Each structure stands twice: as structure tokens, then as C-alpha cells.
Amino acid sequence: MCVILGHRKTRRTGLLTKMVSDRYDDFTDAREALIAEIEAEVVETRGFLGIDRIDSKVFQAMRAVPREDFVPESVRDLAYVNRPLAIGHGQTISQPFIVAAMTNALALSPSDRVLEIGTGCGYQTAVLAHLARHVYTVEVIERLAQSARARLTAQGYGNIDFRVGDGWLGWAEHAPYDAIIVTAAAPEQPAALLDQLAEGGRMIVPIGPTGGAQRLTRIEKRPGGELHSSGFLPVAFVPLIKSR
Ligand code: SAH
């Protein structure tokens, strides 16, 4: 999951829900309305994010990914409401604002190879696949991994590799990665992932206890291997499960 904490929930959400269910058949306008809402939220939260705007390439990628195809049929009408939604197995698809903020913080180049921990329904995976050369994604719940793989393969993505396993261990075989994104909360910085980050690489990970104070944290590995980390947003994510 996740949702941003510590700022007001907008009135727009309820309105947008109604608009989506009443008026939109193909979701194009709903997607644009959501992007406008995220842009406004970035301005509202700039004290946390330290930025005034999301890179337009991130929004281009989000425009290209049909979020309605990643959520259960029963909540399809809510696909463009700016909030997380349940996807089964006790997991959620992240709030679109968070997807935009995390993706933006990775500062991806088209030549980058990215490791994602927590495939979930595969929505964030798809957004990354539009911006990077290759995405390696690891999911601990086998059935989620299988359905994300089937969905993204059917949608024609050819630059994603999937793995079922414990993301705490990363995916050493393809390391080092230019960027690493963790979409579940870790109580501390995951050591194996730091090892697998390239020099010059960026990692974004929510750090903090389950149900407690978590911060979206950006860690940079400078040339020479020195790590610089900064927490920039209070959030609430599902936990990064430890299998051992
Ligand atoms: N990226 C998703 C968000 C998924 S929610 C999106 O686009 O919306 C977090 C995901 O992390 C869940 O699917 C959960 O099963 C997975 N997860 C939790 N612990 C994990 C671990 N140790 N290794 C890999 N995946 C894990």
C-alpha cells in the first residue's frame, strides 16, 4: 500500500469518485483529473517533498498505464481516485500520489536498470518500465506475482523480469542496480539492497515500524560507495515481510 500521512484529505476525492462512476467510460479524462490533483498535492506538500513539481516524464508514464486494469473489477470505478485500494491477500495498490513521488525521487534515465521490491498488482512496475531500460521485480506472495506477470505480459511489456522470493535479499544475480524501489515498509535499511545499489544509484524505501511512524527515505550511493540518506515524507505502508 500506501497513503501519505500528515496533511488534509481533499474534498476533491469524493467529487472525483462521483465523476468517475457517472461520466467516464474510457477513463481518459479521469486520468487527467488525477494528474492535476497530484500536481496540486505536490504543491501542498512541498515542505516534505522538497520539490515544486513532478517531472513531466513521470506523468507521461502514468498516462500510459491503465490503472483500472490493475485493480479488482469491484473497485474499477475508483481506479482514478487518489487513494490506495485493496488488491487481495491483505495487500494494496499504492496511492497514485505516492507512486508519482517515489518514481520522481528515483530520477530515472532510459538506460537505467531498476530493482523493485513488492510487485503487488504490477502497477508501479509498469510505470517504471516506461522510464527505465529494464525492471527486475520481486514479490513474496506467489499468486500476486503470477497475476502481475500475466497482466504485464498480456499488456506487451518486454523489459520486466519477475521473481517470487524474499525482497529483503534483493536479486543479487542482476546487481548492481541504478535504482531500487521498495514498496513496503522496512524497520531498518535493508542491507542486501544497499549492497546491490550501484555507485551513483538511488534507492527509495519507506522506513519505520508497522503501523507506526514511517518515513519515505531516499538513499544515494555516491561514487566511492558513501551512503547519503534523507527522509522526506511521513507515510503508512504495509510491512516488508521477513521470511526468515
Ligand atoms: N508496488 C505495488 C504496491 C504493492 S504493496 C503497487 O504498484 O501498488 C507491497 C507489496 O510488497 C505487496 O504485494 C507485498 O506482498 C509485497 N511484499 C511484502 N514483503 C515482501 C518481501 N519481503 N519481499 C517481496 N515482496 C514483499
Side-chain angles (χ1 to χ4, degrees):
M1 112 135 137
C2 99
V3 64
I4 179 184
L5 295 178
H7 78 115
R8 71 187 171 84
K9 209 58 232 139
T10 59
R11 250 186 327 115
R12 286 188 296 270
T13 300
L15 241 186
L16 186 60
T17 310
K18 182 160 177 13
M19 285 158 60
V20 169
S21 50
D22 287 356
R23 293 207 0 237
Y24 297 119
D25 295 329
D26 72 357
F27 294 102
T28 308
D29 292 347
R31 207 174 287 129
E32 286 308 314
L34 174 63
I35 286 171
E37 188 173 339
I38 294 171
E39 280 177 322
E41 198 165 350
V42 167
V43 173
E44 281 169 24
T45 55
R46 63 178 166 244
F48 289 115
L49 288 178
I51 55 167
D52 284 327
R53 51 184 291 278
I54 299 280
D55 190 323
S56 59
K57 285 186 296 191
V58 172
F59 286 137
Q60 276 312 104
M62 289 177 73
R63 282 189 179 96
V65 181
R67 194 167 187 261
E68 69 275 17
D69 291 345
F70 290 79
V71 302
E73 191 60 41
S74 57
V75 289
R76 208 173 143 86
D77 277 355
L78 303 180
Y80 291 95
V81 177
N82 191 18
R83 66 175 222 211
L85 296 168
I87 56 168
H89 307 275
Q91 303 302 329
T92 53
I93 178 171
S94 293
Q95 180 190 10
F97 169 77
I98 290 289
V99 172
M102 290 179 84
T103 308
N104 191 68
L106 289 176
L108 294 173
S109 302
S111 59
D112 282 350
R113 295 163 63 257
V114 184
L115 174 65
E116 179 192 38
I117 305 301
T119 316
C121 64
Y123 175 76
Q124 170 79 72
T125 322
V127 171
L128 296 170
H130 282 274
L131 294 164
R133 175 154 59 103
H134 204 93
V135 182
Y136 299 88
T137 185
V138 181
E139 170 58 54
V140 74
I141 299 176
E142 187 168 1
R143 285 174 61 193
L144 282 178
Q146 281 168 352
S147 72
R149 183 203 297 260
R151 176 180 293 122
L152 291 167
T153 304
Q155 291 182 7
Y157 290 92
N159 62 340
I160 304 171
D161 278 352
F162 299 84
R163 178 183 180 145
V164 178
D166 184 358
W168 278 98
L169 307 175
W171 194 343
E173 196 184 336
H174 302 290
Y177 301 96
D178 304 297
I180 299 180
I181 177 170
V182 184
T183 67
E188 77 264 344
Q189 295 186 0
L193 300 184
L194 291 173
D195 284 346
Q196 292 172 25
L197 189 62
E199 288 184 17
R202 292 84 55 203
M203 175 153 121
I204 184 97
V205 51
I207 295 189
T210 305
Q214 301 169 6
R215 264 192 183 269
L216 210 48
T217 305
R218 186 178 197 269
I219 303 167
E220 258 182 71
K221 193 185 262 188
R222 301 263 164 92
E226 196 188 331
L227 296 172
H228 280 257
S229 103
S230 51
F232 71 88
L233 195 67
V235 286
F237 276 80
V238 295
L240 189 64
I241 297 159
K242 244 192 173 129
S243 63
R244 301 175 298 147

